[in-house]
Amino acid sequence: MPQIDQIADTLSSQVFWLLVFFGLTFLVVGLGMVPKIMGTVDLRDQQIAGDLAAAQAARDAANSEEEAWRKRENENRAAAQALIAEAKAKAAKANEAKLDKAQAKLDKRLAEAEAAIDAARSSAMAEIEGVAADAAREIVARIAGTDVEPAAAEAAVKEVMAHG
């Protein structure tokens, strides 16, 4: 068969040109394009690693800033609470002083009122004794028809009021 006889003649030529094209393709792709691609991939990997490191550093800085802010905020809150407590203590002390002053005035007025009531009671009791003594003299005069000495009537009224 003529096709089989032809294979030996054309096979070596085809293998030669196959090797030439594969060699050229290897040289163009393997030595020209692959190093550029690998360089780009390495550069990209380095850039990603740098970005990740920068992001971690920024996160750490933000966390430390947040911690410092929280510490300052807690200190400020504690200082504000201390000021509030101090203001409350001052206000309570001022109110206590005002209350003590008002209580002293009220105690003084109460003592004056009690003294006035005692004086009025003593005066009323003296008047009641006088009126009772006069009434007792009149009753004795109407019932018994005798006159009683004013001093004796007052003594009798005092004795009865002392027991009653």
Side-chain angles (χ1 to χ4, degrees):
M1 274 199 182
Q3 292 94 356
I4 295 179
D5 289 337
Q6 211 176 11
I7 289 180
D9 293 335
T10 59
L11 182 64
S12 62
S13 168
Q14 288 178 350
V15 169
F16 171 75
W17 286 112
L18 179 70
L19 290 176
V20 167
F21 282 119
F22 274 125
L24 286 174
T25 304
F26 173 76
L27 288 176
V28 170
V29 171
L31 298 178
M33 293 174 72
V34 170
K36 288 181 182 178
I37 292 172
M38 293 305 291
T40 303
V41 168
D42 288 341
L43 181 65
R44 184 171 169 243
D45 288 344
Q46 290 173 359
Q47 189 175 15
I48 289 171
D51 289 347
L52 288 175
Q56 185 62 39
R59 180 182 293 140
D60 292 343
N63 286 343
S64 66
E65 283 294 321
E66 180 184 8
E67 184 64 31
W69 176 81
R70 287 186 191 278
K71 185 177 178 184
R72 283 192 314 269
E73 191 65 25
N74 289 338
E75 289 172 356
N76 290 341
R77 187 175 290 121
Q81 291 295 332
L83 286 175
I84 289 170
E86 182 181 342
K88 282 183 180 179
K90 284 181 181 178
K93 192 173 184 179
N95 284 341
E96 185 177 331
K98 287 179 182 178
L99 287 174
D100 288 344
K101 190 175 180 181
Q103 187 64 40
K105 286 181 181 179
L106 289 175
D107 289 344
K108 182 180 175 185
R109 288 180 66 190
L110 181 63
E112 290 172 356
E114 286 177 353
I117 290 171
D118 286 342
R121 183 180 297 136
S122 297
S123 172
M125 290 303 282
E127 287 181 25
I128 289 173
E129 287 177 4
V131 170
D134 289 341
R137 283 183 59 222
E138 283 184 30
I139 292 171
V140 169
R142 283 189 185 174
I143 294 177
T146 62
D147 250 349
V148 179
E149 295 277 329
E154 286 177 12
V157 167
K158 283 186 181 180
E159 183 180 332
V160 169
M161 288 183 88
H163 293 319

